[in-house]
Amino acid sequence: MVKRLDTDNIRISRLYSNVEKVNEDVKSNTTIVNEIDTEVGTLFKRIVELETRLENQEQYSRRTSLRFHNIRVPIDPRTGKIPHPINTDIYILQVCNSKLGLNLTVNDIGRSHVIGKVKNGKSQVIVRFLSYRTRSKVYTNKKALKGDADGIFITENLTQYRTGLTQKLSDLKYNHKIFAYWTSDGRIFAKTTEKGTKKLIKNYDDITALETTTDDDNQQQEPDLSPGTTNQNSDENHNNGTY
């Protein structure tokens, strides 16, 4: 009986030692995992920062360009496509000078070309102006196109990511979940109520936060009427294909 107890005690002692070793291994591995998690978190944050910088640089590279929508272009009746080459500068100058009341020449345009598909003889034309000042003048005067017979309107040339943000905001505006949204120099703003505080939208998290904002969270503030902004607060603007 005593011998059996001694044997059991030895086994228990060995098991205890094994448990202690396992506990030490677990602690060591936990430390390693925590260090890896910290490193991964740091790297992820760095990636986000680099992606943000890249996104900002891409948008900055578009600072002198605009998109003209619903521009009438010639169509080859045999193919239904645009004959190439096509001088889109002429159509842009017609809009800028005849409809916006400006006095631009071909020397103000660096390059323009059709982008996207043609629909009902109309297409989108992207234009890069030779100076930001000229681009700003055109964008500021685009309000003259409101109610245009051809449905022509002008938007900023946003990156794919920012275009996605504005499309999401457009859906919210259409469903009356926000009052307005607009862009200015590539930055996106939105308001949940007419007199609410404008919010800078940088990512989809900002839009989620905007959706959960209550009227009590909005301070009394006059609408932003600074030059170079577009206030998307009407169904007409939405139907025109906001950004």
mmCIF file of all heavy atoms in Angstrom, residues 93-123:
data_model
loop_
_atom_site.group_PDB
_atom_site.id
_atom_site.type_symbol
_atom_site.label_atom_id
_atom_site.label_comp_id
_atom_site.label_asym_id
_atom_site.label_seq_id
_atom_site.Cartn_x
_atom_site.Cartn_y
_atom_site.Cartn_z
ATOM 1 N N LEU A 93 -14.870 74.101 -75.098
ATOM 2 C CA LEU A 93 -14.827 75.560 -75.210
ATOM 3 C C LEU A 93 -16.221 76.130 -75.466
ATOM 4 O O LEU A 93 -16.557 77.213 -74.973
ATOM 5 C CB LEU A 93 -13.870 75.971 -76.336
ATOM 6 C CG LEU A 93 -12.379 75.741 -76.054
ATOM 7 C CD1 LEU A 93 -11.546 76.082 -77.281
ATOM 8 C CD2 LEU A 93 -11.924 76.571 -74.856
ATOM 9 N N GLN A 94 -17.039 75.403 -76.217
ATOM 10 C CA GLN A 94 -18.412 75.854 -76.453
ATOM 11 C C GLN A 94 -19.187 75.931 -75.143
ATOM 12 O O GLN A 94 -19.926 76.891 -74.898
ATOM 13 C CB GLN A 94 -19.113 74.904 -77.429
ATOM 14 C CG GLN A 94 -18.649 75.042 -78.869
ATOM 15 C CD GLN A 94 -19.310 74.028 -79.792
ATOM 16 O OE1 GLN A 94 -19.967 73.090 -79.328
ATOM 17 N NE2 GLN A 94 -19.133 74.211 -81.093
ATOM 18 N N VAL A 95 -19.022 74.924 -74.307
ATOM 19 C CA VAL A 95 -19.709 74.916 -73.014
ATOM 20 C C VAL A 95 -19.194 76.044 -72.126
ATOM 21 O O VAL A 95 -19.972 76.801 -71.535
ATOM 22 C CB VAL A 95 -19.519 73.556 -72.304
ATOM 23 C CG1 VAL A 95 -20.084 73.615 -70.885
ATOM 24 C CG2 VAL A 95 -20.189 72.449 -73.093
ATOM 25 N N CYS A 96 -17.880 76.161 -72.035
ATOM 26 C CA CYS A 96 -17.281 77.154 -71.141
ATOM 27 C C CYS A 96 -17.610 78.585 -71.561
ATOM 28 O O CYS A 96 -17.903 79.442 -70.711
ATOM 29 C CB CYS A 96 -15.765 76.972 -71.094
ATOM 30 S SG CYS A 96 -15.240 75.445 -70.281
ATOM 31 N N ASN A 97 -17.580 78.843 -72.850
ATOM 32 C CA ASN A 97 -17.776 80.215 -73.318
ATOM 33 C C ASN A 97 -19.247 80.561 -73.546
ATOM 34 O O ASN A 97 -19.706 81.639 -73.149
ATOM 35 C CB ASN A 97 -16.979 80.440 -74.603
ATOM 36 C CG ASN A 97 -15.478 80.330 -74.370
ATOM 37 O OD1 ASN A 97 -15.004 80.526 -73.253
ATOM 38 N ND2 ASN A 97 -14.729 80.006 -75.408
ATOM 39 N N SER A 98 -20.000 79.645 -74.158
ATOM 40 C CA SER A 98 -21.402 79.940 -74.471
ATOM 41 C C SER A 98 -22.326 79.753 -73.275
ATOM 42 O O SER A 98 -23.259 80.524 -73.075
ATOM 43 C CB SER A 98 -21.880 79.048 -75.624
ATOM 44 O OG SER A 98 -21.108 79.274 -76.789
ATOM 45 N N LYS A 99 -22.069 78.743 -72.472
ATOM 46 C CA LYS A 99 -22.973 78.432 -71.366
ATOM 47 C C LYS A 99 -22.507 78.987 -70.023
ATOM 48 O O LYS A 99 -23.319 79.324 -69.167
ATOM 49 C CB LYS A 99 -23.162 76.912 -71.264
ATOM 50 C CG LYS A 99 -23.866 76.298 -72.472
ATOM 51 C CD LYS A 99 -24.002 74.787 -72.325
ATOM 52 C CE LYS A 99 -24.701 74.152 -73.515
ATOM 53 N NZ LYS A 99 -26.144 74.454 -73.569
ATOM 54 N N LEU A 100 -21.187 79.065 -69.827
ATOM 55 C CA LEU A 100 -20.674 79.560 -68.548
ATOM 56 C C LEU A 100 -20.285 81.034 -68.608
ATOM 57 O O LEU A 100 -19.972 81.633 -67.577
ATOM 58 C CB LEU A 100 -19.455 78.735 -68.111
ATOM 59 C CG LEU A 100 -19.660 77.228 -67.935
ATOM 60 C CD1 LEU A 100 -18.398 76.587 -67.370
ATOM 61 C CD2 LEU A 100 -20.856 76.930 -67.046
ATOM 62 N N GLY A 101 -20.277 81.601 -69.818
ATOM 63 C CA GLY A 101 -19.961 83.018 -69.958
ATOM 64 C C GLY A 101 -18.496 83.344 -69.761
ATOM 65 O O GLY A 101 -18.148 84.472 -69.394
ATOM 66 N N LEU A 102 -17.625 82.378 -70.016
ATOM 67 C CA LEU A 102 -16.188 82.612 -69.872
ATOM 68 C C LEU A 102 -15.579 82.982 -71.220
ATOM 69 O O LEU A 102 -16.272 83.049 -72.238
ATOM 70 C CB LEU A 102 -15.516 81.360 -69.296
ATOM 71 C CG LEU A 102 -16.050 80.897 -67.936
ATOM 72 C CD1 LEU A 102 -15.372 79.597 -67.513
ATOM 73 C CD2 LEU A 102 -15.835 81.973 -66.882
ATOM 74 N N ASN A 103 -14.299 83.201 -71.223
ATOM 75 C CA ASN A 103 -13.603 83.567 -72.459
ATOM 76 C C ASN A 103 -12.316 82.757 -72.566
ATOM 77 O O ASN A 103 -11.214 83.295 -72.552
ATOM 78 C CB ASN A 103 -13.310 85.072 -72.478
ATOM 79 C CG ASN A 103 -12.739 85.522 -73.818
ATOM 80 O OD1 ASN A 103 -13.014 84.914 -74.855
ATOM 81 N ND2 ASN A 103 -11.938 86.576 -73.790
ATOM 82 N N LEU A 104 -12.479 81.451 -72.689
ATOM 83 C CA LEU A 104 -11.324 80.561 -72.753
ATOM 84 C C LEU A 104 -10.923 80.299 -74.200
ATOM 85 O O LEU A 104 -11.731 80.433 -75.119
ATOM 86 C CB LEU A 104 -11.638 79.235 -72.066
ATOM 87 C CG LEU A 104 -12.099 79.280 -70.606
ATOM 88 C CD1 LEU A 104 -12.209 77.867 -70.049
ATOM 89 C CD2 LEU A 104 -11.162 80.118 -69.756
ATOM 90 N N THR A 105 -9.686 79.924 -74.381
ATOM 91 C CA THR A 105 -9.184 79.534 -75.695
ATOM 92 C C THR A 105 -8.570 78.146 -75.585
ATOM 93 O O THR A 105 -8.417 77.595 -74.487
ATOM 94 C CB THR A 105 -8.122 80.522 -76.212
ATOM 95 O OG1 THR A 105 -6.936 80.389 -75.410
ATOM 96 C CG2 THR A 105 -8.634 81.952 -76.141
ATOM 97 N N VAL A 106 -8.196 77.602 -76.723
ATOM 98 C CA VAL A 106 -7.589 76.279 -76.735
ATOM 99 C C VAL A 106 -6.288 76.270 -75.941
ATOM 100 O O VAL A 106 -5.835 75.222 -75.469
ATOM 101 C CB VAL A 106 -7.352 75.816 -78.193
ATOM 102 C CG1 VAL A 106 -6.261 76.652 -78.849
ATOM 103 C CG2 VAL A 106 -7.010 74.331 -78.243
ATOM 104 N N ASN A 107 -5.687 77.439 -75.766
ATOM 105 C CA ASN A 107 -4.443 77.535 -75.000
ATOM 106 C C ASN A 107 -4.658 77.328 -73.502
ATOM 107 O O ASN A 107 -3.693 77.198 -72.747
ATOM 108 C CB ASN A 107 -3.780 78.893 -75.235
ATOM 109 C CG ASN A 107 -3.303 79.066 -76.667
ATOM 110 O OD1 ASN A 107 -2.875 78.104 -77.300
ATOM 111 N ND2 ASN A 107 -3.391 80.282 -77.187
ATOM 112 N N ASP A 108 -5.921 77.322 -73.075
ATOM 113 C CA ASP A 108 -6.222 77.080 -71.661
ATOM 114 C C ASP A 108 -6.378 75.593 -71.360
ATOM 115 O O ASP A 108 -6.458 75.201 -70.191
ATOM 116 C CB ASP A 108 -7.509 77.808 -71.263
ATOM 117 C CG ASP A 108 -7.341 79.317 -71.277
ATOM 118 O OD1 ASP A 108 -6.398 79.802 -70.641
ATOM 119 O OD2 ASP A 108 -8.153 79.994 -71.944
ATOM 120 N N ILE A 109 -6.445 74.783 -72.409
ATOM 121 C CA ILE A 109 -6.682 73.350 -72.240
ATOM 122 C C ILE A 109 -5.408 72.569 -72.537
ATOM 123 O O ILE A 109 -4.789 72.733 -73.593
ATOM 124 C CB ILE A 109 -7.815 72.866 -73.171
ATOM 125 C CG1 ILE A 109 -9.122 73.576 -72.803
ATOM 126 C CG2 ILE A 109 -7.987 71.360 -73.079
ATOM 127 C CD1 ILE A 109 -10.276 73.233 -73.725
ATOM 128 N N GLY A 110 -5.035 71.729 -71.584
ATOM 129 C CA GLY A 110 -3.871 70.883 -71.804
ATOM 130 C C GLY A 110 -4.235 69.678 -72.650
ATOM 131 O O GLY A 110 -3.565 69.341 -73.623
ATOM 132 N N ARG A 111 -5.348 69.038 -72.273
ATOM 133 C CA ARG A 111 -5.806 67.866 -73.008
ATOM 134 C C ARG A 111 -7.241 67.559 -72.623
ATOM 135 O O ARG A 111 -7.657 67.813 -71.494
ATOM 136 C CB ARG A 111 -4.923 66.656 -72.693
ATOM 137 C CG ARG A 111 -5.247 65.426 -73.528
ATOM 138 C CD ARG A 111 -4.436 64.230 -73.083
ATOM 139 N NE ARG A 111 -4.762 63.049 -73.881
ATOM 140 C CZ ARG A 111 -4.370 61.814 -73.595
ATOM 141 N NH1 ARG A 111 -3.643 61.599 -72.515
ATOM 142 N NH2 ARG A 111 -4.698 60.795 -74.368
ATOM 143 N N SER A 112 -7.992 67.018 -73.573
ATOM 144 C CA SER A 112 -9.346 66.552 -73.279
ATOM 145 C C SER A 112 -9.628 65.323 -74.126
ATOM 146 O O SER A 112 -9.099 65.185 -75.233
ATOM 147 C CB SER A 112 -10.381 67.650 -73.575
ATOM 148 O OG SER A 112 -10.475 67.898 -74.968
ATOM 149 N N HIS A 113 -10.449 64.435 -73.602
ATOM 150 C CA HIS A 113 -10.809 63.245 -74.373
ATOM 151 C C HIS A 113 -12.074 62.617 -73.794
ATOM 152 O O HIS A 113 -12.417 62.825 -72.623
ATOM 153 C CB HIS A 113 -9.674 62.218 -74.390
ATOM 154 C CG HIS A 113 -9.315 61.692 -73.037
ATOM 155 N ND1 HIS A 113 -9.979 60.643 -72.434
ATOM 156 C CD2 HIS A 113 -8.358 62.076 -72.154
ATOM 157 C CE1 HIS A 113 -9.441 60.397 -71.248
ATOM 158 N NE2 HIS A 113 -8.459 61.255 -71.052
ATOM 159 N N VAL A 114 -12.741 61.855 -74.640
ATOM 160 C CA VAL A 114 -13.958 61.157 -74.221
ATOM 161 C C VAL A 114 -13.588 60.031 -73.270
ATOM 162 O O VAL A 114 -12.563 59.363 -73.433
ATOM 163 C CB VAL A 114 -14.701 60.589 -75.448
ATOM 164 C CG1 VAL A 114 -15.856 59.697 -75.010
ATOM 165 C CG2 VAL A 114 -15.217 61.720 -76.325
ATOM 166 N N ILE A 115 -14.428 59.831 -72.265
ATOM 167 C CA ILE A 115 -14.210 58.740 -71.322
ATOM 168 C C ILE A 115 -15.548 58.062 -71.053
ATOM 169 O O ILE A 115 -16.581 58.716 -70.952
ATOM 170 C CB ILE A 115 -13.579 59.256 -70.004
ATOM 171 C CG1 ILE A 115 -13.228 58.094 -69.082
ATOM 172 C CG2 ILE A 115 -14.487 60.246 -69.302
ATOM 173 C CD1 ILE A 115 -12.423 58.510 -67.860
ATOM 174 N N GLY A 116 -15.543 56.766 -70.991
ATOM 175 C CA GLY A 116 -16.784 56.040 -70.748
ATOM 176 C C GLY A 116 -17.550 55.772 -72.033
ATOM 177 O O GLY A 116 -17.077 56.032 -73.142
ATOM 178 N N LYS A 117 -18.764 55.262 -71.883
ATOM 179 C CA LYS A 117 -19.591 54.878 -73.016
ATOM 180 C C LYS A 117 -20.448 56.043 -73.505
ATOM 181 O O LYS A 117 -20.751 56.964 -72.758
ATOM 182 C CB LYS A 117 -20.493 53.698 -72.634
ATOM 183 C CG LYS A 117 -19.731 52.432 -72.265
ATOM 184 C CD LYS A 117 -20.692 51.303 -71.911
ATOM 185 C CE LYS A 117 -19.932 50.028 -71.556
ATOM 186 N NZ LYS A 117 -20.863 48.919 -71.198
ATOM 187 N N VAL A 118 -20.830 55.959 -74.773
ATOM 188 C CA VAL A 118 -21.727 56.947 -75.364
ATOM 189 C C VAL A 118 -23.167 56.488 -75.173
ATOM 190 O O VAL A 118 -23.491 55.322 -75.391
ATOM 191 C CB VAL A 118 -21.438 57.125 -76.869
ATOM 192 C CG1 VAL A 118 -22.407 58.129 -77.476
ATOM 193 C CG2 VAL A 118 -20.006 57.561 -77.085
ATOM 194 N N LYS A 119 -24.021 57.406 -74.731
ATOM 195 C CA LYS A 119 -25.431 57.082 -74.528
ATOM 196 C C LYS A 119 -26.283 58.194 -75.112
ATOM 197 O O LYS A 119 -26.140 59.356 -74.728
ATOM 198 C CB LYS A 119 -25.729 56.906 -73.030
ATOM 199 C CG LYS A 119 -27.146 56.445 -72.748
ATOM 200 C CD LYS A 119 -27.348 56.202 -71.257
ATOM 201 C CE LYS A 119 -28.761 55.710 -70.970
ATOM 202 N NZ LYS A 119 -28.982 55.472 -69.518
ATOM 203 N N ASN A 120 -27.138 57.827 -76.046
ATOM 204 C CA ASN A 120 -28.020 58.800 -76.710
ATOM 205 C C ASN A 120 -27.231 59.944 -77.334
ATOM 206 O O ASN A 120 -27.642 61.112 -77.281
ATOM 207 C CB ASN A 120 -29.048 59.352 -75.722
ATOM 208 C CG ASN A 120 -29.965 58.277 -75.167
ATOM 209 O OD1 ASN A 120 -30.319 57.330 -75.871
ATOM 210 N ND2 ASN A 120 -30.343 58.408 -73.904
ATOM 211 N N GLY A 121 -26.091 59.604 -77.914
ATOM 212 C CA GLY A 121 -25.279 60.614 -78.586
ATOM 213 C C GLY A 121 -24.522 61.525 -77.646
ATOM 214 O O GLY A 121 -23.939 62.523 -78.080
ATOM 215 N N LYS A 122 -24.519 61.204 -76.365
ATOM 216 C CA LYS A 122 -23.820 62.024 -75.380
ATOM 217 C C LYS A 122 -22.760 61.191 -74.660
ATOM 218 O O LYS A 122 -22.909 59.986 -74.503
ATOM 219 C CB LYS A 122 -24.798 62.595 -74.351
ATOM 220 C CG LYS A 122 -25.867 63.502 -74.942
ATOM 221 C CD LYS A 122 -26.810 63.993 -73.851
ATOM 222 C CE LYS A 122 -27.895 64.892 -74.422
ATOM 223 N NZ LYS A 122 -28.825 65.369 -73.366
ATOM 224 N N SER A 123 -21.725 61.874 -74.233
ATOM 225 C CA SER A 123 -20.656 61.172 -73.536
ATOM 226 C C SER A 123 -20.043 62.074 -72.475
ATOM 227 O O SER A 123 -20.351 63.265 -72.382
ATOM 228 C CB SER A 123 -19.576 60.730 -74.528
ATOM 229 O OG SER A 123 -18.572 59.982 -73.874
#
